[in-house]
């Protein structure tokens, strides 16, 4: 007698109960429907998304601290950690410059703002001031100083990732310097704290569908779909430029690491959908760190490159800024010369690095660029208010994938990647196990323990733990 096959409703119900991707996808569709049919109710659902983001942000700083400290001490080589940081910064600068150039090229070819003939004197700029809170982007010296903590507690309280990274590097270096004989209980305590944080992440992730529903319903309910027709050309060119950039990123990942970006997207589909639904890449940082570690990237590379990329590697934002600058110039009838466009790239190369964590940072960067050029009325930045929120999906997806590719590339460059494990994980031969379900120190993860990791000459290194 052949075994009975579950009915379709039962299979659907089982999938919804067990698959985070299915739950988030259903929440996304439901949010769009509710936002379209009942916009007033949908706007009231915003706290669902905001509350989830707040809960995730609460654990990001301790998680980054624990992962970096454990990564440095397990690797046992502070010089290697320094090399990883330097190589990451080189990769970030090349990637963001490429993104800016692609944005400028796309903006020049399509000219999304041509023919609008907007009078900037008639624009209401008060909304821009409200969006930015009257703030400004930090200068280079201010940015560097802000990355240095003046209070250990303050770095965590303010959720400043760069400050937390600096503290973690100092603690990891101190533990290495003192050795396990003088501080034998520090590393186990940090590992146990890391287990606790991952367990909290597991609890919070169960609320992800509610967060996606609330954020999506609020977006559709407040902005509707009419903005798509008004700014359709600008939206289209931004998303097309981002797609071109991601295709180039896929080619680079295949050439440098030998793995497929599409397979990585499939491997992280739950996290990608959650990031798109909540319009925040921070909501998936903890899970992305888990998935990158289990995909063969060593702890110290993941712990340093991924969080740093959130401040230095804003590829999607770079594309948007370069196209947005051309858009507002064309809309008010200003023709930027090639020299002025090169100036735009140079300015945005600097201003884009200080955007993370600053309210209305995109508008501040655009305002700073307009002021520096001296030919675009600063008030014209208000033209992008109606479309900025629609661009979040493009920025989030591109930023997130850009940072994950950077982790793989830098790990491979430094010999901190188990390439065989990475291919097996992305091919589905190895199943991802959430670390909140299995304590990290009881889980045999090749890259975490330092075994079978590509050495400088492509040979496996000795186990370090």
């Amino acid at each position: 007698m052949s075994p009975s096959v579950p009915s379709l409703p039962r299979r659907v119900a089982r999938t919804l109960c067990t698959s985070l991707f299915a739950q988030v996808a259903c929440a996304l569709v439901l949010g769009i429907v509710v936002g379209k049919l009942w916009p007033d109710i949908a706007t009231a659902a915003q706290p669902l998304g905001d509350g989830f983001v707040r809960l995730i942000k609460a654990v990001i700083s301790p998680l980054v601290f624990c992962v970096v400290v454990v990564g440095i001490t397990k690797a046992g080589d502070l010089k290697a950690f320094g090399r990883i940081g330097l190589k990451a910064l080189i990769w970030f600068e090349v990637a963001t410059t490429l993104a800016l150039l692609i944005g400028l090229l796309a903006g020049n070819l399509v000219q999304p703002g041509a023919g609008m003939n907007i009078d900037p004197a008639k624009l209401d700029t008060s909304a821009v001031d409200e969006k930015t809170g009257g703030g400004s982007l930090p200068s280079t010296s201010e940015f560097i100083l802000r990355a240095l903590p003046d209070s250990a507690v303050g770095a965590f309280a303010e959720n400043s990732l760069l400050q937390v990274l600096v503290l973690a590097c100092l603690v990891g270096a101190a533990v290495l310097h003192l050795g396990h004989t003088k501080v034998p209980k520090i590393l186990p305590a940090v590992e146990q704290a890391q287990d606790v944080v991952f367990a909290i992440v597991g609890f919070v992730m169960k609320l992800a569908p509610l967060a996606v529903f609330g954020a999506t319903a609020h977006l559709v309910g407040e902005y509707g779909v009419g903005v798509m027709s008004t700014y359709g050309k600008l939206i289209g060119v931004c998303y097309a430029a981002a797609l071109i950039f991601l295709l180039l990123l896929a080619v680079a990942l295949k050439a440098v690491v030998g793995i497929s970006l599409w397979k990585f997207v499939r491997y992280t589909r739950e996290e990608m959908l959650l990031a798109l639904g909540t319009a925040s890449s921070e909501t998936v940082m903890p899970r992305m760190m888990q998935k990158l570690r289990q995909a063969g990237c060593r702890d110290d590379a993941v712990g340093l490159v991924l969080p740093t990329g959130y401040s230095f590697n804003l590829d999607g934002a770079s594309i948007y800024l370069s196209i947005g600058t051309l858009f507002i110039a064309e809309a008010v009838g200003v023709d930027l010369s090639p020299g002025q466009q090169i100036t735009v790239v140079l300015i945005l190369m600097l201003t884009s690095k200080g955007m993370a964590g600053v309210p209305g940072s995109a508008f501040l960067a655009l305002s700073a660029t307009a002021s520096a050029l001296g030919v675009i009325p600063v008030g014209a930045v208000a033209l992008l208010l109606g479309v900025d929120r629609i661009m979040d999906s493009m920025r989030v997806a591109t930023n997130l994938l850009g940072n994950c590719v950077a982790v793989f590339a830098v790990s491979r460059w430094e010999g901190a990647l188990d390439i065989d494990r990475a291919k097996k994980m992305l091919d589905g031969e190895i199943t991802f196990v959430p670390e909140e379900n299995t304590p990290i120190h009881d889980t045999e993860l090749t890259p975490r323990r330092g075994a079978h990791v590509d050495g400088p000459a492509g040979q496996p290194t000795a186990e370090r733990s």
Side-chain angles (χ1 to χ4, degrees):
M1 183 175 179
S2 60
S4 59
V5 179
S7 62
L8 180 60
R10 286 190 176 185
R11 292 201 301 270
V12 172
R14 182 180 302 172
T15 301
L16 286 175
C17 290
T18 58
S19 171
L20 178 63
F21 177 77
Q23 294 169 6
V24 172
C26 288
L28 186 66
V29 173
L30 186 60
I32 294 173
V33 172
V34 172
K36 177 64 176 176
L37 298 180
W38 303 285
D40 294 336
I41 298 176
T43 303
Q46 183 181 7
L48 293 175
D50 292 346
F52 179 82
V53 173
R54 290 172 69 93
L55 288 173
I56 287 292
K57 283 186 175 182
V59 298
I60 286 179
S61 290
L63 175 62
V64 169
F65 178 83
C66 292
V67 169
V68 172
V69 171
V70 171
I72 292 176
T73 52
K74 288 289 185 182
D77 187 356
L78 196 59
K79 291 183 179 179
F81 195 73
R83 289 197 305 269
I84 290 173
L86 179 60
K87 291 173 181 178
L89 291 177
I90 294 173
W91 180 276
F92 294 159
E93 194 57 51
V94 172
T96 51
T97 303
L98 177 62
L100 288 169
L101 292 175
I102 289 175
L104 277 183
L105 180 61
N108 278 291
L109 289 175
V110 180
Q111 297 184 349
M116 294 185 71
N117 300 319
I118 301 294
D119 182 1
K122 296 181 179 179
L123 294 173
D124 181 13
T125 60
S126 60
V128 176
D129 295 333
E130 182 180 349
K131 184 89 172 178
T132 60
S136 61
L137 291 177
S139 63
T140 303
S141 58
E142 289 174 338
F143 179 70
I144 295 173
L145 285 176
R146 290 184 185 182
L148 303 177
D150 57 0
S151 167
V153 176
F156 288 91
E158 297 173 6
N159 214 24
S160 175
L161 284 185
L162 290 180
Q163 293 185 10
V164 171
L165 274 173
V166 172
L167 283 173
C169 292
L170 292 174
V171 172
V175 173
L176 276 181
H177 176 71
L178 294 173
H180 295 293
T181 55
K182 289 188 177 182
V183 285
K185 297 181 180 180
I186 292 295
L187 186 57
V190 175
E191 285 188 307
Q192 290 169 13
Q194 186 174 256
D195 289 345
V196 171
V197 174
F198 274 125
I200 295 172
V201 171
F203 298 152
V204 177
M205 287 297 293
K206 296 182 185 300
L207 302 175
L210 286 176
V212 170
F213 167 76
T216 305
H218 168 69
L219 172 63
V220 177
E222 182 171 348
Y223 295 95
V225 294
V227 70
M228 298 292 289
S229 58
T230 305
Y231 291 94
K233 198 173 183 181
L234 174 61
I235 295 171
V237 69
C238 283
Y239 277 81
L243 180 59
I244 293 172
F245 176 80
L246 289 177
L247 290 174
L248 293 176
L249 211 59
V251 172
L253 182 64
K254 191 69 175 179
V256 175
V257 184
I259 60 178
S260 166
L261 181 62
W262 169 247
K263 289 182 178 179
F264 178 76
V265 172
R266 187 177 60 188
Y267 169 58
T268 58
R269 57 188 180 275
E270 294 94 346
E271 291 73 24
M272 292 301 301
L273 197 58
L274 175 59
L276 291 173
T278 58
S280 172
S281 56
E282 287 186 336
T283 58
V284 297
M285 183 193 287
R287 286 275 292 213
M288 278 299 190
M289 294 180 80
Q290 292 184 43
K291 289 205 164 181
L292 287 166
R293 284 141 52 99
Q294 291 197 29
C297 298
R298 207 169 64 198
D299 275 13
D300 49 350
V302 175
L304 180 61
V305 179
L306 189 63
T308 307
Y310 274 64
S311 293
F312 287 90
N313 194 38
L314 304 175
D315 300 325
S318 298
I319 292 172
Y320 172 62
L321 289 174
S322 55
I323 295 177
T325 301
L326 289 182
F327 171 79
I328 60 177
E330 292 162 357
V332 297
V334 174
D335 184 19
L336 296 180
S337 66
Q340 289 171 324
Q341 293 191 28
I342 292 175
T343 303
V344 168
V345 172
L346 295 176
I347 294 171
L348 291 177
M349 283 173 61
L350 296 175
T351 56
S352 63
K353 301 299 184 294
M355 289 174 56
V358 180
S361 55
F363 292 97
L364 290 172
L366 288 168
S367 299
T369 305
S371 298
L373 288 174
V375 293
I376 303 176
V378 177
V381 174
L383 286 170
L384 293 173
L385 281 170
V387 75
D388 184 69
R389 184 64 177 81
I390 305 297
M391 296 297 184
D392 279 344
S393 296
M394 180 275 290
R395 289 189 297 232
V396 166
T398 310
N399 289 345
L400 186 58
L401 285 175
N403 286 328
C404 291
V405 169
V407 173
F408 277 116
V410 174
S411 297
R412 179 67 165 172
W413 191 0
E414 180 57 28
L417 174 67
D418 185 342
I419 188 63
D420 291 333
R421 183 182 179 88
K423 291 180 178 179
K424 289 179 179 179
M425 182 65 79
L426 299 189
D427 287 337
E429 297 179 25
I430 302 177
T431 303
F432 169 73
V433 180
E435 295 176 18
E436 59 266 18
N437 297 334
T438 304
I440 293 174
H441 47 264
D442 292 336
T443 306
E444 186 177 349
L445 295 179
T446 302
R448 282 187 46 72
R449 299 304 181 190
H452 308 299
V453 177
D454 291 346
Q459 300 297 323
T461 59
E463 187 164 271
R464 288 173 178 151
S465 57

